[in-house]
Each structure stands twice: as C-alpha cells, then as structure tokens.
Amino acid sequence: MALVVAGCNGTDPVRRSPTPQPRPAPVAYVPSENSLAMAKYYVSVQRSLLTQGLLRVDGGGADVPFTGMMLARNFMRIAFYNEYSTSGGLYVARESAVHMSRWPNGVRLSMHFGASVPEDIRNKDRGFTARYASRLGRVTGHPISLAQNGNFRVYVLDEDERRAMGPELRRVVPGISSTTVNAVINMPRDTYCVVFTGDSMGSGRLQQAVAVIRAEHPDLMRKACYHEEIAQGLGLSNDSPQARPSIFNDDEEFGLLTTHDEMLLRILYDPRLRPGMSAAEARPIVTQIAAELTGSGAV
C-alpha cells in the first residue's frame, strides 16, 4: 500500500511507495541428537538389508512362483486377521480374527510433513505417492487419489515431531483410544512405520486411516513404508511369513508392491466380495478369484 508523505518544500503531498523491508530468513529446522542418531541407525539398517539382497524392487519373478491356491491362502491370512491385539492397554504382536474390511467410497490420500522434512523431499515424495495412488486405483478399480485434505492422512515426522503428535491425532481422529495414541508416540525403533484404520460402525466399511512414517528413513526405506502402509490401510491388515513375493511379510525381502500383492488387492476389491464378510463366507469366492487371476481355471 502506498504511503502518503507531506512535502517538506510547501508543495502538495506526493504518494511514495514504502521502502521494501527484507523478509526474515526462515528459521532452519535443527534435528535433535536423538533424531540424528535414529537417522544414522536407519541408514545402517537399509545398507544391511540391501547387502543381504533384501528390499527388492523388482516385483517378483521366476525365482518366486506362486499358484492360485497359494494366493488364496495368503489372502485369507492377510485380510481376515489383524497383526496386533490389545492387552493391558498395549498393542501386542498377536493375531486376531476379523471380518473383511475395505473402503466403500473413494480414498483420498493427503501428505502431512513435519518441519524436519526438506522441501525437495516433500515434492519428490508427493510425486511418488501420487503415482502409487494411480497404480492402486488401476489395480483395485476403486477411486484412489492424492488430495489436499484426505480421509487417509500420511504423516512424515521425525522422532521429536512424532512424540508430540498426540494432540494432532486426537484432533483428526475424534475418540481415538489412548492405546493407539501411545502406540504411535512411543513407537519402538524396530517399528519402521505404522497405519491404523477407522470403522466406527464395525461393519468392515473403512472411513478413515492414518499412517505415520519416520522422517529419518533413507529414501528406499521411506518408499517401502509408503507402499506397505497405504496398501495395508486399504484393508490388508496382516502380514504372513508364507506370503511371497510380498511386502506383507516381515522378512523385508521385498520393499515395494509386487505382482502378488496387486492380485491381493484385486481380490479385496472384487465386487463378488463385500465388507463385513466372514472368512467362511469369503473363502470359496476368494479361491475362485485367485484361480482366475493366476490362470489356474476354476477350482
């Protein structure tokens, strides 16, 4: 806005622009010693996994064949069990049987970065996630896209930001349990990332999901977290040691979604299945779909 200044020589006032003031430089984020130590640790983890031939990104090949029966078995284990159960106000690694869950409406992914994440990584990860969302949409036939304010929120936070996110979790997930909040803010070092979904009616119709990714991860581990947690948040809530080639396996052999995993998602969103189905109801249908997808014919 122009500033009116009275002339000092008795002439009429003149309009002059104010002298531009320099903008304050943005305050650089300084990670804590704890976060720096975590970043160093995960660099060593990724290096070790790659040295062992793990975190594969090839999607599976001739060295990992699977049949329709194997695909159906893996789907039943991954879609009809939760990986964790609650005990004494804590999540423990103990499977529990559940009914089938999936999103009845469109999935809108939104990315939420802490100040610890540099702008170039934010832009790169948004592009990566947008492409992944498009792939998932093609695979499932279900609307999945990147959005500004989604119903599937993906947070990328460092150690200190994650430990302080209790209020944010309670804001975006009203009624969230203290057990879930504590599981996020006190995430142990050997948990690389986490996702939880919301189904307020208990009907198997997912309405909301939140994933939390460690900002300290090096590039491939961070991408692996995006792939696994977003895919799990679509309704594949468990892991299985028998699933191969798959990211739904805690052995870390595969880092990114495989052809096998795409078939799991196709089964999950096949219109012959419905949210809330029991394992017994779904099994014969799953077996038929798996046979079709692998070219095994009717079973």
Side-chain angles (χ1 to χ4, degrees), residues 21-86:
Q21 298 297 314
R23 293 183 179 180
V27 178
Y29 182 85
V30 180
S32 68
E33 289 297 322
N34 193 17
S35 180
L36 291 171
M38 293 292 275
K40 184 177 180 180
Y41 168 73
Y42 289 120
V43 167
S44 69
V45 169
Q46 178 173 291
R47 184 184 303 117
S48 175
L49 292 171
L50 291 172
T51 300
Q52 299 172 67
L54 304 177
L55 286 181
R56 289 173 56 175
V57 299
D58 55 31
D63 63 317
V64 279
F66 58 93
T67 66
M69 290 183 63
M70 294 164 66
L71 181 65
R73 175 203 65 199
N74 295 340
F75 180 86
M76 297 303 298
R77 180 75 175 272
I78 292 168
F80 287 93
Y81 289 87
N82 271 339
E83 189 174 2
Y84 293 93
S85 301
T86 55

Side-chain angles (χ1 to χ4, degrees), residues 70-113:
M70 294 164 66
L71 181 65
R73 175 203 65 199
N74 295 340
F75 180 86
M76 297 303 298
R77 180 75 175 272
I78 292 168
F80 287 93
Y81 289 87
N82 271 339
E83 189 174 2
Y84 293 93
S85 301
T86 55
S87 177
L90 299 172
Y91 282 105
V92 295
R94 184 178 63 214
E95 288 184 339
S96 58
V98 294
H99 286 66
M100 198 188 88
S101 295
R102 71 183 186 197
W103 294 72
N105 301 312
V107 179
R108 303 184 308 280
L109 294 163
S110 57
M111 309 289 290
H112 305 271
F113 297 97

